[in-house]
């Protein structure tokens, strides 16, 4: 079957495709958030050690996982843009950065509110927490660097270098609980199995999926605006129905 | 279990609702921002378009 994948790497075709895809991600995301929260609060039992406080896990873990994944995807797109000089991949990297920063912030915020009742401290300079804070700064640095360069193609290249170099931080966050003695607990879900109650797992994975779909929907809307801005002098933009109106 | 008990979360209510409340708030703000950005971008393009037609 011959599918022309490169067809959708052109901003003009991707713009329309992205617009059609948004509702298919946004509505399932909203639905899964509701299901995940219902299972997390009404089906999943209390934790033996942490009582009710553990319920922060259903947002803390998905937000943390995504803050790292989004960074790798952003760096991947940035690298593609740098190597092949494709316009769309650089725009995708720019579109992902604010959402990634937001999830890093949610991860730190919910972590602080979980740390206080469990450890007795909002914040500790522990390996896991500090490396996640650096991740937030990397996102903010990427956004600020791109915003400070007027020429979009140069901004893409400078941002791409920062994103690629900064990606070394992601494995550091992930392995920090193994490499150093930290206050942060290790992973409960391992490749070898888990001690977690089935309803807790269901709630956490439903929330993770909901967050994924949310990220895709929001980034697609954002990248469409970026495409319009950057391609504003092209014929196809001026011929769009929403512009002609 | 009453609703009051549910929201109290056995004393952890502040931490739990503080987590979920702020998360919901920032996600709603982000959705509003991307929609606003799209509206502004389209407005600017229409203005550019209109200015181009007059010439």
């Amino acid at each position: 079957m011959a599918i022309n994948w490169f067809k959708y790497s052109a901003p003009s075709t991707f713009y329309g495709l992205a617009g059609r895809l948004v509702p298919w991600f946004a509505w399932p995301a909203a639905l899964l958030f509701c299901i995940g929260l219902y299972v997390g609060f009404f089906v999943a039992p209390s934790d033996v050690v942490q009582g009710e406080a553990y319920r922060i896990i259903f947002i803390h873990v998905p937000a943390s996982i995504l803050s790292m994944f989004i960074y790798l995807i952003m760096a991947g797109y940035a690298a593609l843009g740098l190597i092949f000089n494709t316009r769309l991949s650089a725009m995708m990297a720019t579109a992902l950065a604010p959402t990634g920063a937001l999830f890093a912030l949610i991860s730190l915020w919910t972590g602080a509110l979980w740390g206080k009742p469990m450890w007795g401290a909002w914040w500790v300079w522990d390996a896991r927490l500090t490396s996640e804070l650096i991740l937030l700064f990397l996102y903010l640095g990427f956004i600020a660097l791109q915003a400070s360069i007027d020429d979009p193609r140069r901004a893409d290249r400078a941002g791409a270098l920062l994103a690629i170099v900064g990606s070394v931080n992601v494995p550091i966050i992930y392995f920090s609980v193994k490499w150093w003695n930290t206050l942060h607990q290790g992973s409960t879900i391992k490749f070898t199995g888990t001690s977690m109650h089935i309803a807790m797992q269901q709630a956490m994975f439903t929330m993770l999926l909901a967050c994924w779909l949310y990220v895709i929907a929001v980034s697609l809307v954002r990248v469409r605006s970026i495409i319009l801005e950057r391609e504003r002098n092209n014929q196809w933009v001026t011929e769009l129905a929403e512009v002609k109106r | 279990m009453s609703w009051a008990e549910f929201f109290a979360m056995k004393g952890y209510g502040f931490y739990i609702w503080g987590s979920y409340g702020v998360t919901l708030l920032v996600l709603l703000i982000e959705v509003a921002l991307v929609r606003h950005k799209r509206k502004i971008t389209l407005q600017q393009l229409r203005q550019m378009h209109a200015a181009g037609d007059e010439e």
Side-chain angles (χ1 to χ4, degrees), chain B residues 6-26:
Chain B
F6 175 75
F7 284 112
M9 280 282 148
K10 298 204 172 80
Y12 293 116
F14 171 76
Y15 304 103
I16 292 174
W17 305 121
S19 294
Y20 284 93
V22 169
T23 302
L24 182 69
L25 187 72
V26 291

Side-chain angles (χ1 to χ4, degrees), chain A residues 36-115:
Chain A
L37 288 174
Y38 175 78
V39 176
F41 280 97
F42 296 103
V43 181
S46 302
D47 187 67
V48 184
V49 184
Q50 303 197 351
E52 302 296 329
Y54 93 92
R55 289 185 201 275
I56 295 173
I57 201 173
F58 303 128
I59 190 63
H60 178 72
V61 170
S64 310
I65 292 176
L66 278 179
S67 69
M68 293 188 279
F69 257 116
I70 295 171
Y71 192 92
L72 291 180
I73 295 166
M74 182 184 93
Y77 271 123
L80 276 179
L82 199 63
I83 298 163
F84 298 109
N85 211 15
T86 46
R87 288 170 298 164
L88 186 59
S89 26
M91 294 183 208
M92 280 302 295
T94 308
L96 282 165
T99 305
L102 204 69
F103 276 88
L105 187 71
I106 292 171
S107 163
L108 291 167
W109 175 264
T110 55
L113 279 165
W114 197 359

Side-chain angles (χ1 to χ4, degrees), chain A residues 15 55 99 214 222 243, chain B residues 16 18 20 30 37-38 46:
Chain A
Y15 176 83
R55 289 185 201 275
T99 305
Y214 168 88
R222 192 179 285 120
V243 175
Chain B
I16 292 174
Y20 284 93
E30 190 188 24
K37 163 106 168 147
R38 172 156 173 86
R46 275 182 224 126

Side-chain angles (χ1 to χ4, degrees), chain A residues 70-169:
Chain A
I70 295 171
Y71 192 92
L72 291 180
I73 295 166
M74 182 184 93
Y77 271 123
L80 276 179
L82 199 63
I83 298 163
F84 298 109
N85 211 15
T86 46
R87 288 170 298 164
L88 186 59
S89 26
M91 294 183 208
M92 280 302 295
T94 308
L96 282 165
T99 305
L102 204 69
F103 276 88
L105 187 71
I106 292 171
S107 163
L108 291 167
W109 175 264
T110 55
L113 279 165
W114 197 359
K116 184 65 181 169
M118 289 299 125
W119 305 337
W122 300 105
W123 180 262
V124 282
W125 291 102
D126 153 294
R128 179 49 81 76
L129 281 69
T130 309
S131 51
E132 180 74 21
L133 182 66
I134 291 171
L135 184 72
L136 175 62
F137 290 157
L138 281 169
Y139 277 123
L140 297 179
F142 178 85
I143 296 167
L145 181 64
Q146 288 210 321
S148 69
I149 301 173
D150 288 332
D151 176 13
R153 303 304 290 268
R154 290 191 60 187
D156 285 344
R157 284 198 290 274
L161 281 177
L162 175 66
I164 293 163
V165 174
S167 61
V168 70
N169 187 44

